[in-house]
Each structure stands twice: as C-alpha cells, then as structure tokens.
C-alpha cells in the first residue's frame, strides 16, 4: 500500500509552515518548516516542552493565526484562500477548539456556556441527552449550575472539552486539555477522545507536554524549538 502524499486526502495537512514572531534581535522562530499529514479519524498527539511552539502550531492549524510562510489545508482546502467570513464559517461548522486558557465565560454557569454555543450555532449540536451523557462520562454533570470560578482547574478543563465536543466538529484542536487532571481523569479523557476519533471518524489533535496520553494516540509527534518530528514508535512497543 502506498501512503498518499496529496494534502487533499487528509483532515489536516501542513506544508513547510513557518511562524516568526517579532523582528530584528527580538525575532523568535516559533515554528520551523513544519510538514505533516493528519488522516481522518486519528487521535494525534504533539508532545513538547514549554515554549517549543505547540500553541503556535495549534492556533495556526485552526486559522486563528496566519503563518509567516507555508500552506495549511483542512479537508483538502487551502485555508489561505478563504475570506475571513469563510474561515469563520469553517471554524464554526467543523472545528472544536480547546484553548490553553480554556476560555470558559466567567459569568456563565456550565449549562449557560452550552446555551451560548446554541445562540451562535443552533443546529447540528449534541442533543440534551447526549450532552448529559458526555458530562457524566467526564464526571462534571453535577456542575450544571456552577460558575467556572467555583470549579477546580481540572473541572474547568473537562467542561471546556465538553464544549468543544458539543458542536460535533470533524476536527478537534486541543491545547493542553489534560494538564490539570489526575491520572484517572487523564485515562477517562484519553479513552473518550480515542473512542470519538475511531467511532465517529473525528480527527483529534492534542498538543501537550503530558506523555500520559501517548499510548492511546494513533500518531505521536515531538516538538522541540519549533521543529516537528514523528516519533510514534517510542510509545507503541
Ligand atoms: N505572540 C507572541 N509574540 C512573540 N513571541 C511569541 C508569541 N507567542 C509565542 N511566542 C514565542 O514563541 C515560542 C513558542 O511559543 P508557544 O506559546 O507556541 O509555545 P508552547 O509550546 O505552547 O509553550 P507552553 O507549553 O508554555 O504553552 C516561545 O519562544 C514564545 O515565547
Ligand atoms: Mg502553549
């Protein structure tokens, strides 16, 4: 079997993507010639230490930042050819983000966080029953009337993950979604993500320094000083 090299075959593909912040002496090359293919339905982990370029990679992959050079395709579509409106629509309909600061709205309860999503995207989301089952699986179903400030960091992370899954995206981009979780919660979250990827054909990309998810991932990459390298073998023996 030959491996396809055409970006059109992949949920997410990058070709020689570079991101430079600042200029002159203050210049930082946060992403260096990143090239990768992420197949549909894979759970992909990108592991790297603090400052290695993980958030830069993820925000560029989802079109929240533009690269300095290189090409990004989502489902075969070169995102640089999209207008701002088209990119917004693509994100709304197809991408679920879990950002590093998990960005729950501070003055809304858990239940209201989901109502807010409904007000922006009213159709195609999980049903009430499915949402309840998801919150239960993540162990946060008792928190429906709770504000983020009254939750632990790990609880906030799980609610943020549920919010990303709520819209049934075809691509999930998650930044450190497990950093505040204990090992048992990491296992629950990891198994849930693996299950969603494999049964619903959702593509899930997690950037993290947390190696505890590595054995569940289909592909593992390492990020070091902005350089991405494939390293699955290390974790699947
Ligand atoms: N907006 C910015 N302006 C200037 N430099 C930046 C900016 N964002 C990130 N950087 C720099 O780019 C490099 C990569 O940062 P990035 O946030 O992508 O790393 P990270 O792997 O996500 O780190 P962490 O694990 O701490 O979240 C770092 O050297 C960082 O200081
Ligand atoms: Mg980061």
């Amino acid at each position: 079997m030959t491996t396809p090299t055409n970006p059109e075959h992949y949920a997410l593909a990058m070709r020689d993507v570079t991101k430079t912040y600042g200029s002159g002496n203050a210049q930082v090359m946060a992403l260096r010639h990143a090239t990768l293919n992420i197949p549909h339905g894979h759970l992909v982990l990108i592991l790297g230490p603090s400052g290695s370029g993980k958030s830069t990679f993820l925000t560029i992959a989802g079109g929240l930042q533009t690269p300095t050079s290189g090409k990004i395709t989502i489902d075969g579509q070169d995102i640089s050819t999209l207008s701002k409106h088209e990119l917004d629509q693509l994100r709304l309909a197809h991408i679920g983000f879990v950002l590093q600061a998990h960005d729950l709205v501070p003055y809304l309860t858990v239940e209201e966080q989901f109502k807010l999503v409904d007000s922006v995207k009213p159709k195609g989301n999980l049903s009430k029953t499915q949402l309840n089952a998801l919150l239960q699986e993540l162990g946060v179903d008792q928190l429906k009337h709770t504000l983020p400030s009254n939750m632990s960091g790990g609880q906030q992370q799980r609610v943020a993950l549920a919010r990303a899954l709520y819209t049934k995206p075809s691509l999930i981009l998650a930044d450190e979604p497990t950093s505040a979780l204990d090992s048992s919660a990491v296992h629950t979250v990891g198994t849930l993500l693996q299950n969603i990827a494999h049964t619903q054909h959702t593509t899930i990309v997690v950037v993290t320094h947390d190696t505890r998810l590595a054995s569940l991932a289909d592909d593992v990459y390492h990020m070091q000083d902005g350089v991405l390298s494939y390293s699955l073998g290390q974790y699947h023996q």
Side-chain angles (χ1 to χ4, degrees):
M1 200 177 81
T2 54
T3 309
T5 51
N6 191 334
E8 284 174 20
H9 294 99
Y10 296 97
L12 172 68
M14 279 193 185
R15 292 288 176 275
D16 207 15
V17 172
T18 291
K19 177 69 177 179
T20 306
Y21 294 112
S23 58
N25 282 344
Q27 203 172 65
V28 177
M29 205 169 174
L31 203 56
R32 294 167 187 261
H33 308 287
T35 291
L36 88 173
N37 294 321
I38 298 187
H40 293 272
H42 274 213
L43 171 58
V44 177
L45 210 61
I46 296 180
L47 286 170
S50 183
S52 59
K54 303 182 299 295
S55 296
T56 301
F57 168 88
L58 202 78
T59 48
I60 284 180
L64 295 174
Q65 281 203 89
T66 49
T68 306
S69 61
K71 180 168 151 182
I72 296 123
T73 59
I74 293 178
D75 251 331
Q77 169 112 57
D78 178 350
I79 63 171
S80 72
T81 65
L82 300 177
S83 68
K84 185 182 176 305
H85 176 71
E86 287 168 335
L87 191 55
D88 287 345
Q89 291 305 115
L90 173 81
R91 276 198 297 261
L92 191 61
H94 298 291
I95 306 180
F97 283 99
V98 183
L99 296 176
Q100 194 164 11
H102 50 67
D103 69 348
L104 293 175
V105 184
Y107 51 85
L108 297 182
T109 65
V110 170
E111 196 169 68
E112 289 163 348
Q113 308 275 342
F114 291 93
K115 284 192 183 141
L116 177 64
V117 177
D118 283 333
S119 71
V120 185
K121 177 175 180 278
K123 287 192 187 147
N125 301 330
L126 295 180
S127 68
K128 257 205 153 81
T129 315
Q130 289 170 324
L131 175 59
N132 279 335
L134 176 63
L135 293 176
Q136 204 166 8
E137 193 165 352
L138 289 169
V140 288
D141 54 313
Q142 303 298 324
L143 301 173
K144 279 189 203 128
H145 305 294
T146 308
L147 290 169
S149 55
N150 293 325
M151 294 185 238
S152 71
Q155 287 170 333
Q156 291 181 44
Q157 276 188 333
R158 281 172 283 167
V159 171
L161 179 62
R163 188 182 56 178
L165 295 170
Y166 179 61
T167 56
K168 296 201 267 182
S170 54
L171 175 63
I172 293 173
L173 300 173
D175 197 341
E176 300 282 7
T178 57
S179 58
L181 302 182
D182 63 29
S183 298
S184 133
V186 169
H187 186 74
T188 304
V189 166
T191 312
L192 175 79
L193 293 178
Q194 189 188 47
N195 198 19
I196 290 170
H198 294 174
T199 63
Q200 296 172 28
H201 224 52
T202 305
T203 308
I204 305 180
V205 184
V206 175
V207 301
T208 185
H209 63 264
D210 190 347
T211 55
R212 294 175 294 178
L213 286 171
S215 62
L216 295 168
D218 298 298
D219 302 303
V220 179
Y221 290 83
H222 262 274
M223 181 83 93
Q224 183 73 52
D225 297 329
V227 178
L228 200 59
S229 53
Y230 191 67
S231 61
L232 176 66
Q234 202 180 328
Y235 298 95
H236 286 239
Q237 286 167 359

